[in-house]
Amino acid sequence: MQVSNLRLLLFSPFVPPLSLSPLKPSFSLFPKSKPYSLLTALASASSSHPKRRRPIPYRSPGPRSKSTLRHRDKAMEDKTESVSFNKRRAEGHDKNERPKKNLQRKVRALNPTNTIAYVQFLGTGMDTLDTSPSVLLFFDKQRFIFNAGEGLQRFCTEHKIKLSKIDHIFLSRVCSETAGGIPGLLLTLAGMGEEGMSVNVWGPSDLKYLVDAMKCFIPNAAMVHTRSFGPTHGSVGGPMADETQFTDPIVLVDDEVVKLSAILLRPSFLEGSHLPNGVPIMQNPREKVIDDSMDHASEPISPNGRSMLTGKPGDMSVIYVCELPDIKGKFDPAKAVALGLRPGSKYRDLQLGNSVKSDYQNIMVHPSDVMGPSVPGPIVLLVDCPTESHLQELLSVQCLSSYYADSSGPPENAKVVTCVIHLSPASLISSSNYQSWMKRFGSAQHIMAGHERKNVEIPILKSSARIAARLNYLCPQFFPAPGFWSLQQSDCLAPESTASSEGSVCESISAENLLKFTLRPYAHLGLDRSVIPSKVAAADVIHDLLSENPEVVDAAQCVSQFWRQSTETREEVNFVQEDTVMVEEPWFSENTLPSCLENIRRDDLEIVLLGTGSSQPSKYRNVSAIHINLFSNGGLLLDCGEGTLGQLKRRYGVEGADNAVRGLRCIWISHIHADHHTGLARILALRRTLLKGVPHEPLLVVGPRQLKRYLDAYQRLEDLDMQFLDCKHTTEASLNAFEGATESNKRHSSPGKDRQQKVDSTLFAKGSRMESYWKRPNSPVDDGVVFPILKSLQKLLSEAGLEALISVPVMHCPQAFGVVLKASERMNSVGKVIPGWKLVYSGDTRPCPALTEASRGATILIHEATFEDGMVDEAIARNHSTTKEAIEVGNSAGVYRIILTHFSQRYPKIPVFDETHMHKTCIAFDLMSINIADLPVLPKVLPYLKMLFKNEMIVDESDEMFDAASVAS
């Protein structure tokens, strides 16, 4: 059993930064080492979970003694005095002494016969329209993936597609839409086995900008091999090559399996722009690939009077041409005998394509004399034409002429295209120009893999969707129906053909999840729908649930009564469930409603937990993200892991999520680990697009200093329309200094000197290392930059109805923070002033005295609870918290309600917890939406949530994703 699970056990979550030194052209994107060997992981898994295979029975919560509470409070006091945590990890030095890896480029022994070959659609983004779909090109001994948007890992985990087998990743564009899943994918591959696995990443020369950005949070102790092709850019805004360069296909891969070429599409811009910098370009298409072992330095050239392309580097697009070798005709022995050949080695030479001399006749025998006609190899084109400007370039590309059915060139140069995969948007495909271009390929099969509404019928993450439907049935107040269910009722079916505005029709089909187009064997050439997931409806999910667990019907009725009873009366109410009477516990009546919740409105605050898992996405839980929905006042994001945009669209629907992104006031990131921020670029890019042409302010991103390096590097590739503020400038001490400086500014006519003196005296300890850093010339924390952004933060908080956003240093890794949000005071109908609510989010941390103090009197504490109570040693080693430790933090701080999140992916559906000390606590699930008006009943739902999963507490073997090899989160 253990052996069969080795691959699952090797999956690793995201990793922390180990070094911020500049990347070399040949660089490392994998961790230096892992804290545990595989054998240690197996031993830890078995010792830590002696009873994990046993179902955990459902028990109603029992009364708790006051002595138990006193004992717990005393233990918490002792814990606060001496908090256990991994100091070296918190300082970022826990693995520097480990030996470095040097992973070699992945090379596989190829099978020239290629008995199986196909393209398959890995439908990333199809139901939520948030990323570009991915396409798998499969051979017996090689795997290619085209585009790796956010959510690719979750999709492959769901459908058991082995990412470890991927040899090459090709990007049709280098931007957040097509490459958002690469950081997580690389980190997962890094954790496989004892040495990790490498992968080759290909893309236009813009690829270097993406990698320069990722180096800020991906360790450089092992290796990922990047191959960029096409013109190299100089500085930002500098020219690419002129339009006459790179007109021929650039051959990337050419072996006995496939010949894969790239054709560049560079959008047309205004002519006459003459910029001074550029690079020399190699003319031979075979030499146009820049290997990762070469220097990317650029050299200036003189302007040549031609128009230059001055767009962002990420504007370049690529058409990929995949050509399989011809299938040779059958050898005819009778013809060979007639030409005077004896059976033997010459037969083989002829089959290999070599001419031989006849044994009995004075002639040369050529392969064509004894071989039947060859069958042309299939040709597949992947076309990504994102804009009208790219389309103009596409229509003028001359090197595609040999692939057109109406080609006027020599017959021997004509190539018949088997399949064209269109990654272009549906709006562009429907244009008459694009339709006319499609028709030039004759009988080729056209498959539309761009964003189409038809694809919302089948959710990509069916396992997660089933859980969401079950939770919705039990408690719709906390688990609203996901957005895609409602879309199924609308008329969202796309036609099988795409019509242009002039009525011209080109036959095509819409891609679906896991749809295959078989290339080999030739007898099966064409579409294969055998593995397409079946449609799923919420009613079917509920029918299955009630068949398995009939008690859920009564449980749902009990839960619904929590909202029927008056929130103003705290009477004990009996709820009957079958033969069991569940009595409300005495501590519910003792738990007085905070004054901030007096006459609270439902449009004041809603907390939407978009991702509640740690390290890496799984079938059931995405990585960290929380949407603070302030309704008409906008919203905030607390952390933004990969797939956050997709989760927003699953919660609010496609249009509703766009509105939520438009309304974002601020995004706050807790620390630099990839599972907390790699969805950020996609959110920022979408907001920029949605607000194009609308007056607006750049979105404020508050995060650790290393995050700014990533965003600055990424902005060279794609405009993110944001401004950045370091978390440390939003700590209580920094904000007090800012307030003091502001007062000084009001009192004195020469405020600059007084302001700097005030900051020097209050922001950092006298003579401390940070004080000297603040005063350093050209420091990134120069007050001339920070103070205007702090004013901007103050303004946007005020507009959102918030009084403060305060970052709190916590114990996890260098520059890790929690956050406190305080709402402004309000006045009720009779003129009484009511204090605002207070929300605290821990980020990733050990139990932390500073966070405990910051949580005093909080209305809500959202605290990480990565491990179960019996795994304290693991929690300390990785600077995380156990369930009990997180609850003790909230109890000692007098928090009204505690929400536990960030669970290890070893708990696929529901974590292990002890109900007896959770009287004001609830477990978070993905897409759980908690309205502040419903806080009083939040803990009451917990026993029913556990009961909902009582038949599923046995861990599914295929779901086990032990992160014993993890160095992340």
Side-chain angles (χ1 to χ4, degrees):
M1 186 67 70
Q2 289 180 339
V3 174
S4 67
N5 290 328
L6 289 183
R7 182 170 301 279
L8 293 172
L9 290 172
L10 295 175
F11 269 71
S12 135
F14 294 110
V15 289
L18 300 179
S19 170
L20 293 177
S21 60
L23 284 178
K24 299 177 182 178
S26 178
F27 50 85
S28 307
L29 290 183
F30 298 129
K32 295 180 180 177
S33 58
K34 292 169 282 294
Y36 302 105
S37 68
L38 178 59
L39 293 177
T40 306
L42 290 170
S44 173
S46 60
S47 63
S48 301
H49 298 275
K51 300 181 180 179
R52 291 191 60 208
R53 300 287 177 253
R54 299 181 183 176
I56 298 178
Y58 166 69
R59 302 191 310 268
S60 61
R64 311 175 66 241
S65 66
K66 295 184 178 180
S67 61
T68 302
L69 297 176
R70 286 195 298 269
H71 177 74
R72 184 202 59 214
D73 294 339
K74 179 65 168 59
M76 188 58 200
E77 291 174 4
D78 296 339
K79 193 83 170 179
T80 304
E81 294 176 3
S82 177
V83 177
S84 299
F85 71 102
N86 186 336
K87 184 177 180 181
R88 289 182 62 78
R89 181 178 177 83
E91 294 173 349
H93 302 305
D94 56 332
K95 295 172 189 64
N96 287 350
E97 74 280 2
R98 306 274 183 162
K100 291 186 177 181
K101 296 181 191 174
N102 185 19
L103 296 185
Q104 299 302 312
R105 178 179 282 113
K106 184 184 294 184
V107 178
R108 298 184 189 276
L110 303 180
N111 180 1
T113 60
N114 294 320
T115 56
I116 299 176
Y118 57 81
V119 291
Q120 186 173 29
F121 296 90
L122 310 183
T124 307
M126 282 189 174
D127 67 338
T128 51
L129 318 186
D130 60 319
T131 63
S132 175
S134 299
V135 179
L136 170 68
L137 177 59
F138 178 96
F139 296 98
D140 287 343
K141 299 293 184 180
Q142 278 197 114
R143 313 284 194 276
F144 304 83
I145 278 187
F146 297 88
N147 290 340
E150 293 183 24
L152 177 62
Q153 272 196 94
R154 291 193 79 186
F155 180 86
C156 291
T157 300
E158 173 94 6
H159 298 287
K160 297 180 174 59
I161 296 171
K162 297 179 179 179
L163 293 172
S164 61
K165 300 292 186 181
I166 301 302
D167 301 276
H168 303 272
I169 299 174
F170 294 88
L171 300 180
S172 64
R173 283 177 287 132
V174 185
C175 60
S176 59
E177 182 183 355
T178 60
I182 283 185
L185 177 59
L186 295 179
L187 293 169
T188 296
L189 292 173
M192 292 183 175
E194 288 299 308
E195 293 297 330
M197 305 189 74
S198 66
V199 67
N200 306 305
V201 182
W202 301 74
S205 53
D206 319 332
L207 182 62
K208 66 186 292 290
Y209 291 90
L210 176 67
V211 174
D212 286 346
M214 290 194 303
K215 73 182 182 181
C216 301
F217 60 89
I218 296 183
N220 55 354
M223 187 164 292
V224 60
H225 303 279
T226 59
R227 305 291 301 278
S228 57
F229 52 84
T232 307
H233 305 272
S235 58
V236 175
M240 298 187 246
D242 64 69
E243 295 182 19
T244 63
Q245 301 292 343
F246 296 98
T247 56
D248 296 328
I250 304 171
V251 179
L252 307 178
V253 176
D254 191 1
D255 53 37
E256 60 266 44
V257 172
V258 65
K259 178 181 177 182
L260 201 152
S261 308
I263 299 173
L264 300 180
L265 289 183
R266 294 163 292 167
S268 303
F269 293 97
L270 294 176
E271 297 186 2
S273 300
H274 303 290
L275 298 173
N277 297 325
V279 293
I281 305 296
M282 296 174 288
Q283 298 300 316
N284 188 339
R286 289 269 189 170
E287 298 175 353
K288 292 176 183 177
V289 177
I290 301 176
D291 199 343
D292 55 10
S293 61
M294 300 174 60
D295 192 356
H296 290 277
S298 60
E299 300 176 10
I301 60 174
S302 302
N304 58 8
R306 292 184 180 272
S307 62
M308 298 292 183
L309 299 177
T310 58
K312 278 277 186 180
D315 291 332
M316 187 183 297
S317 181
V318 182
I319 297 174
Y320 287 105
V321 182
C322 309
E323 301 179 65
L324 276 64
D326 294 347
I327 301 175
K328 296 178 181 178
K330 188 176 180 180
F331 178 77
D332 190 341
K335 290 183 178 180
V337 171
L339 293 171
L341 288 174
R342 288 195 303 261
S345 60
K346 291 184 179 181
Y347 279 21
R348 177 171 176 78
D349 289 339
L350 286 167
Q351 293 179 59
L352 293 175
N354 303 318
S355 299
V356 299
K357 187 174 182 180
S358 171
D359 295 312
Y360 300 112
Q361 303 178 27
N362 189 24
I363 60 173
M364 292 295 295
V365 180
H366 304 288
S368 59
D369 297 331
V370 295
M371 302 288 291
S374 297
V375 178
I379 298 176
V380 178
L381 269 62
L382 287 96
V383 182
D384 189 355
C385 182
T387 68
E388 188 69 35
S389 297
H390 289 85
L391 177 57
Q392 298 306 315
E393 179 73 9
L394 175 66
L395 298 176
S396 63
V397 171
Q398 295 299 316
C399 60
L400 282 174
S401 58
S402 61
Y403 299 97
Y404 295 145
D406 57 359
S407 173
S408 59
E412 61 271 14
N413 293 335
K415 301 176 181 179
V416 179
V417 176
T418 310
C419 176
V420 183
I421 298 171
H422 300 270
L423 304 176
S424 311
S427 58
L428 190 69
I429 290 175
S430 63
S431 68
S432 58
N433 286 338
Y434 198 99
Q435 288 286 302
S436 299
W437 178 79
M438 288 171 59
K439 285 188 171 185
R440 301 193 67 180
F441 291 100
S443 60
Q445 174 70 70
H446 293 274
I447 302 178
M448 304 302 166
H451 295 152
E452 295 186 59
R453 294 300 293 271
K454 175 179 179 178
N455 299 300
V456 303
E457 285 187 291
I458 303 176
I460 286 180
L461 305 174
K462 288 182 66 174
S463 298
S464 177
R466 289 177 65 86
I467 295 294
R470 291 181 172 211
L471 290 167
N472 171 255
Y473 178 82
L474 175 68
C475 182
Q477 294 83 358
F478 286 146
F479 302 98
F484 59 79
W485 291 120
S486 59
L487 290 173
Q488 293 185 35
Q489 309 303 322
S490 62
D491 183 17
C492 56
L493 294 179
E496 288 296 295
S497 60
T498 306
S500 71
S501 56
E502 298 179 359
S504 177
V505 177
C506 185
E507 292 298 321
S508 62
I509 68 163
S510 295
E512 299 177 71
N513 294 344
L514 303 182
L515 173 68
K516 289 182 180 180
F517 189 94
T518 303
L519 304 173
R520 296 275 167 84
Y522 182 76
H524 297 158
L525 182 71
L527 294 169
D528 178 1
R529 301 178 179 271
S530 61
V531 294
I532 294 178
S534 59
K535 296 181 181 180
V536 60
D540 297 331
V541 175
I542 301 308
H543 178 269
D544 293 342
L545 169 65
L546 300 183
S547 299
E548 300 167 6
N549 192 351
E551 298 176 19
V552 174
V553 176
D554 293 327
Q557 294 175 357
C558 291
V559 170
S560 66
Q561 292 185 45
F562 295 145
W563 276 266
R564 294 197 191 106
Q565 69 183 88
S566 172
T567 56
E568 298 177 358
T569 60
R570 310 297 297 174
E571 299 177 358
E572 294 184 8
V573 180
N574 295 341
F575 302 107
V576 179
Q577 178 181 351
E578 293 186 350
D579 297 328
T580 304
V581 177
M582 300 186 63
V583 182
E584 186 176 11
E585 299 294 344
W587 37 260
F588 273 118
S589 58
E590 297 171 1
N591 199 348
T592 307
L593 192 73
S595 57
C596 64
L597 298 183
E598 183 180 329
N599 298 324
I600 195 74
R601 294 167 54 96
R602 297 195 66 85
D603 61 354
D604 191 82
L605 167 68
E606 184 181 56
I607 303 165
V608 181
L609 297 136
L610 301 172
T612 58
S614 68
S615 304
Q616 68 180 25
S618 74
K619 287 170 62 173
Y620 304 104
R621 294 183 185 270
N622 202 49
V623 288
S624 299
I626 302 171
H627 183 228
I628 304 299
N629 184 9
L630 301 174
F631 297 92
S632 61
N633 288 331
L636 293 83
L637 279 177
L638 306 181
D639 279 336
C640 190
E642 178 187 339
T644 293
L645 179 58
Q647 292 292 86
L648 278 171
K649 296 201 173 192
R650 289 181 183 96
R651 168 61 183 87
Y652 295 113
V654 175
E655 289 79 13
D658 288 348
N659 292 332
V661 171
R662 286 190 190 94
L664 284 176
R665 299 280 186 174
C666 172
I667 299 178
W668 181 91
I669 305 297
S670 61
H671 62 291
I672 197 64
H673 286 170
D675 56 329
H676 290 259
H677 73 81
T678 47
L680 181 58
R682 188 75 194 100
I683 293 283
L684 293 173
L686 176 63
R687 181 180 182 270
R688 174 208 65 214
T689 302
L690 293 173
L691 294 177
K692 187 176 182 179
V694 178
H696 66 278
E697 295 292 328
L699 185 62
L700 179 60
V701 176
V702 182
R705 184 174 66 252
Q706 305 104 309
L707 182 62
K708 185 177 189 297
R709 301 181 187 180
Y710 164 64
L711 295 172
D712 286 347
Y714 195 96
Q715 287 228 115
R716 294 165 60 90
L717 175 69
E718 188 176 15
D719 181 23
L720 298 180
D721 190 26
M722 48 76 63
Q723 58 180 346
F724 184 84
L725 182 62
D726 195 328
C727 276
K728 70 181 180 184
H729 298 310
T730 60
T731 62
E732 190 168 17
S734 297
L735 293 174
N736 289 340
F738 169 68
E739 293 294 337
T742 303
E743 291 300 320
S744 175
N745 187 19
K746 294 177 181 178
R747 291 195 303 267
H748 301 279
S749 58
S750 179
K753 181 177 179 181
D754 293 327
R755 179 176 63 186
Q756 185 63 52
Q757 289 176 346
K758 183 67 176 178
V759 171
D760 289 344
S761 63
T762 60
L763 188 53
F764 302 111
K766 189 68 175 176
S768 72
R769 186 172 161 191
M770 291 310 300
E771 183 188 43
S772 63
Y773 185 79
W774 176 273
K775 296 179 180 179
R776 187 178 302 168
N778 299 322
S779 167
V781 295
D782 176 44
D783 65 318
V785 175
V786 172
F787 275 71
I789 301 179
L790 283 173
K791 288 184 178 180
S792 176
L793 173 63
Q794 227 178 26
K795 178 175 180 289
L796 68 87
L797 290 177
S798 176
E799 292 173 349
L802 300 177
E803 179 183 300
L805 180 153
I806 303 171
S807 298
V808 182
V810 295
M811 297 175 179
H812 181 59
C813 68
Q815 300 184 58
F817 296 87
V819 67
V820 179
L821 293 177
K822 295 181 180 178
S824 302
E825 295 179 342
R826 56 190 173 87
M827 192 171 294
N828 65 10
S829 57
V830 296
K832 178 182 176 182
V833 176
I834 299 175
W837 47 261
K838 177 179 176 180
L839 182 149
V840 180
Y841 169 52
S842 70
D844 287 5
T845 183
R846 289 289 297 144
C848 177
L851 187 73
T852 302
E853 186 60 33
S855 303
R856 297 284 177 200
T859 316
I860 309 159
L861 169 64
I862 306 173
H863 201 290
E864 72 117 292
T866 309
F867 296 104
E868 62 187 274
D869 296 342
M871 301 184 68
V872 176
D873 291 341
E874 288 86 346
I876 293 175
R878 303 182 196 177
N879 282 345
H880 284 298
S881 300
T882 66
T883 299
K884 186 174 182 180
E885 287 174 331
I887 294 170
E888 287 175 340
V889 170
N891 287 339
S892 63
V895 173
Y896 177 64
R897 289 291 181 258
I898 304 168
I899 302 170
L900 301 184
T901 187
H902 197 267
F903 303 112
S904 168
Q905 301 291 16
R906 70 182 64 222
Y907 316 115
K909 297 178 181 177
I910 188 169
V912 177
F913 60 90
D914 180 2
E915 294 177 37
T916 58
H917 55 279
M918 301 184 73
H919 62 278
K920 56 182 178 182
T921 306
C922 196
I923 297 295
F925 293 84
D926 278 19
L927 306 184
M928 186 177 189
S929 303
I930 304 171
N931 193 287
I932 191 170
D934 297 331
L935 287 180
V937 301
L938 181 62
K940 299 182 181 183
V941 177
L942 182 61
Y944 298 93
L945 294 175
K946 189 170 184 177
M947 184 270 295
L948 182 67
F949 294 99
K950 72 173 185 175
N951 294 332
E952 303 179 47
M953 296 300 289
I954 300 176
V955 178
D956 185 348
E957 292 289 334
S958 63
D959 291 335
E960 290 185 5
M961 301 179 67
F962 294 116
D963 50 355
S966 164
V967 289
S969 301

